[in-house]
Amino acid sequence: CSRLLHALSAWISAFCTCILLAQSVTLCAHHLHQSALYQHGFTQLAQHLVDTAARIGKFDVCEILPHPTTVSRNVEMRAQSLRKHVVEEITATISKNISKNILLSATIHYVNEQSELHSRVLLLPFDPSTSKTGENIRRHLLQNLRVFGIDATDMGKKIIFVTDRGANMISALREYTRLNCTAHILNVTLSSAFGPAIIEKSPEIASLLTDVKKLVTYFKHSGQQGKLKKSLKQSIETRWNSNFDMLNSVLEQYEDIASVLTESNNYDKIGRISISTLKLLVSFLKPFKEATDDLETDNTAPSASLVLPWSVRLIEHCTSATKDPLLSEIATVCVTRLKELLSADSTSSHSVHMLYKIATFLTPNLRGLRMLDERGRQNVIQGVKEMIEDLKFDHAHDEDVEPTPAKRPTVLHKFSDWEEEEESCGSKSLDVQIQEYRTMKLELSSQQNILQWWNSNSSQFPALSNLARFVLCIPATSAPSERAFSLCGRILEERRSVLKPSSVSDILFLHGNLK
């Protein structure tokens, strides 16, 4: 009996150790940094220890905690296992976002067989001693993508890259279809409009920005911040829409700020700020903030279809603002830069990339393309036809379609020469599909999933449905990959600076893909 209890105790200990190892790997993936005590990974580990103690009684935790080397090896093994799963899941309809540093961060976006939009994080170790030239980035990227079963050289036109406008990224992907990150375009537009050369022509706006920055700095350094309901935001040049966040945080609490400053005899710090000018500038910047937020939408909803309508809306907004004397200089630069940066080619004065226009057309509620003139609409229709023909989407699923079982003949077959012929949806010409799609009675609420709608109507519009699966998974921005890359800062800190790039890649890969 004692031997049996001893063996059982040993088995329980080994079993608990195995589970604890798995929990420790999950901790590394979710936790990333030792300071976040109450994050998901740590609480899972702590809960497991408590549950184990409840089952087997008191024990020495040091006896079952896995060695750091063991955890490291299992992080690598689990990452390899998950990569294999990702490779099996990825379909031919994909797009990439790329960022650069000692890790090349990328997210892959695709629509699976259930018409669900998926995003996967791929972080590719990059030798820090290698220069970040376009050729080196291209070679490294293509080599590492093959690990995930993606051969970009063979896929050709069926792979789309979305990146910032860095010269080395443009050079690296010159042989492929590459789209500019729309959020970067909006940020560059505002940076140009609020640059020193322009802002000095609008002294009232320049004075307002200076006074608001001083006000926020005073609250941060004086200890007065705690007297406000919400924290005031500082303007940070590298952070998108930070001018709006700063100005809006002051506007929302203007009265509270005034009260706090009055109590400390510092009312002059807000008294010199014109509330009307503050409201005017917040109102001007707000659509840029809303556009960025919408375009950086989570990875479960298509964002490509929003690029065209937001581009047109922002240009209209800025054009209208040019009539205001205070905003005239800034708004004029915004209009010029938006038209320049949104151009698909150097000969166009104002043209969103055709892929984004097609994505808008394939969004049922926006299929009328009312933001374009008739010539623009016809150009998009022609672009749809050319892309379907180019990518052979008419017959994309022919090989997967099971043959229809033969129907049992009835007495009517004796008169088959007089029967009405039924037109097969699959045999409809592309022109017919497009015409029916443009004129059909729409039964789609604004909340309904667009991809599911196309899945439900794939038999009626086979070619358009396949094109929608390809185009609607393209992200509007490279923000998903940048968010993944920013997590490196939570891992590579002073006491963990010796981590190998491959170890960082494994941890971030698990963090981004474990559900």
Side-chain angles (χ1 to χ4, degrees):
C1 183
S2 61
R3 290 182 179 178
L4 179 60
L5 288 175
H6 180 74
L8 181 60
S9 176
W11 181 85
I12 291 175
S13 177
F15 178 72
C16 291
T17 301
C18 182
I19 295 179
L20 186 59
L21 176 58
Q23 295 286 356
S24 299
V25 171
T26 301
L27 171 63
C28 288
H30 286 296
H31 176 50
L32 297 181
H33 198 278
Q34 57 265 32
S35 63
L37 182 62
Y38 293 102
Q39 288 195 7
H40 184 58
F42 179 81
T43 56
Q44 279 190 322
L45 179 63
Q47 187 62 54
H48 171 71
L49 292 173
V50 172
D51 293 344
T52 301
R55 288 196 301 270
I56 68 174
K58 185 178 180 179
F59 61 89
D60 185 353
V61 70
C62 294
E63 292 182 359
I64 65 171
L65 277 176
H67 191 275
T69 303
T70 305
V71 175
S72 179
R73 284 200 299 266
N74 278 268
V75 164
E76 180 180 359
M77 291 169 56
R78 195 161 174 184
Q80 289 175 350
S81 176
L82 186 55
R83 283 193 185 97
K84 182 179 179 181
H85 171 73
V86 171
V87 169
E88 293 172 351
E89 187 181 59
I90 289 174
T91 65
T93 308
I94 53 179
S95 65
K96 306 288 181 310
N97 302 311
I98 305 165
S99 185
K100 53 194 181 299
N101 215 299
I102 64 165
L103 284 176
L104 191 65
S105 70
T107 54
I108 178 171
H109 303 256
Y110 58 94
V111 177
N112 66 11
E113 292 301 321
Q114 289 73 45
S115 293
E116 299 168 332
L117 180 60
H118 281 263
S119 174
R120 291 290 189 177
V121 177
L122 315 180
L123 288 120
L124 317 174
F126 197 100
D127 184 355
S129 64
T130 304
S131 59
K132 309 304 186 298
T133 64
E135 181 59 29
N136 286 340
I137 290 176
R138 186 189 69 82
R139 182 169 54 252
H140 175 77
L141 172 66
L142 299 186
Q143 175 184 342
N144 280 276
L145 287 180
R146 292 189 185 100
V147 174
F148 293 89
I150 304 168
D151 192 334
T153 55
D154 289 343
M155 299 180 73
K157 297 178 181 178
K158 289 191 176 182
I159 187 169
I160 309 296
F161 293 91
V162 180
T163 78
D164 60 25
R165 299 172 63 250
N168 54 355
M169 300 305 294
I170 295 174
S171 174
L173 301 172
R174 60 184 179 276
E175 299 175 5
Y176 300 92
T177 302
R178 190 199 65 83
L179 307 181
N180 288 324
C181 167
T182 310
H184 276 93
I185 288 176
L186 301 186
N187 185 57
V188 169
T189 296
L190 290 178
S191 296
S192 299
F194 285 86
I198 304 301
I199 204 70
E200 67 181 15
K201 298 178 182 178
S202 306
E204 193 167 340
I205 297 295
S207 177
L208 174 75
L209 288 171
T210 300
D211 291 339
V212 171
K213 288 178 181 178
K214 289 180 178 178
L215 174 66
V216 172
T217 300
Y218 168 76
F219 267 82
K220 294 289 186 183
H221 293 170
S222 66
Q224 303 276 35
Q225 182 71 66
K227 296 181 180 181
L228 300 176
K229 295 177 181 178
K230 295 188 292 185
S231 175
L232 297 180
K233 307 294 184 183
Q234 289 182 310
S235 177
I236 302 173
E237 186 176 350
T238 57
R239 184 178 298 166
W240 296 342
N241 296 297
S242 64
N243 270 340
F244 170 82
D245 291 336
M246 177 186 69
L247 296 169
N248 193 53
S249 70
V250 171
L251 179 61
E252 288 181 339
Q253 302 182 92
Y254 189 88
E255 296 299 330
D256 292 341
I257 294 170
S259 297
V260 171
L261 292 174
T262 299
E263 291 176 2
S264 60
N265 296 319
N266 285 300
Y267 181 79
D268 62 302
K269 293 185 182 299
I270 195 170
R272 65 172 69 104
I273 296 175
S274 167
I275 185 67
S276 59
T277 305
L278 180 60
K279 288 180 178 179
L280 178 67
L281 194 51
V282 167
S283 177
F284 174 73
L285 293 174
K286 187 176 181 179
F288 285 90
K289 170 70 171 179
E290 292 175 344
T292 303
D293 290 345
D294 287 350
L295 295 168
E296 290 181 344
T297 184
D298 62 29
N299 299 319
T300 61
S303 59
S305 58
L306 301 177
V307 175
L308 174 61
W310 262 122
S311 299
V312 174
R313 182 62 52 83
L314 286 173
I315 289 175
E316 290 176 346
H317 167 71
C318 294
T319 300
S320 176
T322 59
K323 300 173 184 177
D324 190 297
L326 290 179
L327 295 174
S328 178
E329 292 289 342
I330 293 172
T332 299
V333 173
C334 285
V335 172
T336 303
R337 290 295 277 160
L338 280 172
K339 290 182 176 181
E340 172 191 342
L341 295 170
L342 288 169
S343 296
D345 57 74
S346 58
T347 62
S348 173
S349 60
H350 172 209
S351 177
V352 174
H353 196 283
M354 180 58 73
L355 279 169
Y356 286 140
K357 292 181 179 179
I358 291 174
T360 303
F361 172 72
L362 294 173
T363 301
N365 284 335
L366 299 174
R367 70 190 190 279
L369 298 175
R370 295 173 60 187
M371 68 289 298
L372 300 178
D373 58 23
E374 182 58 29
R375 180 181 177 184
R377 288 191 282 270
Q378 291 304 317
N379 285 340
V380 175
I381 300 302
Q382 185 60 34
V384 168
K385 295 178 181 179
E386 291 175 358
M387 180 164 286
I388 288 176
E389 177 63 28
D390 200 23
L391 298 177
K392 310 299 181 186
F393 278 139
D394 260 311
H395 311 290
H397 286 318
D398 285 358
E399 59 186 13
D400 299 326
V401 177
E402 296 182 1
T404 304
K407 296 181 180 179
R408 180 177 297 179
T410 67
V411 293
L412 294 179
H413 82 281
K414 299 173 183 178
F415 311 105
S416 58
D417 55 325
W418 290 337
E419 287 183 354
E420 293 288 339
E421 293 185 359
E422 181 180 353
E423 182 183 21
S424 168
C425 290
S427 65
K428 288 181 182 177
S429 70
L430 180 56
D431 286 333
V432 171
Q433 289 185 51
I434 292 175
Q435 181 61 23
E436 289 187 1
Y437 171 62
R438 297 181 69 187
T439 58
M440 72 180 295
K441 182 179 179 180
L442 187 62
E443 296 180 0
L444 174 70
S445 67
S446 58
Q447 289 78 33
Q448 187 174 348
N449 186 295
I450 299 172
L451 290 169
Q452 292 299 325
W453 186 91
W454 278 110
N455 186 49
S456 300
N457 291 274
S458 59
S459 59
Q460 184 176 358
F461 309 113
L464 293 177
S465 176
N466 285 317
L467 181 60
R469 289 167 57 86
F470 173 72
V471 172
L472 292 178
C473 71
I474 300 172
T477 75
S478 59
S481 66
E482 293 180 9
R483 281 194 292 266
F485 184 75
S486 67
L487 292 173
C488 286
R490 298 175 60 189
I491 296 178
L492 291 174
E493 46 94 49
E494 186 177 355
R495 287 179 292 177
R496 305 178 78 183
S497 59
V498 296
L499 278 175
K500 296 184 296 183
S502 59
S503 297
V504 178
S505 175
D506 287 340
I507 293 173
L508 288 174
F509 178 76
L510 289 173
H511 177 80
N513 293 292
L514 279 176
K515 304 299 182 183

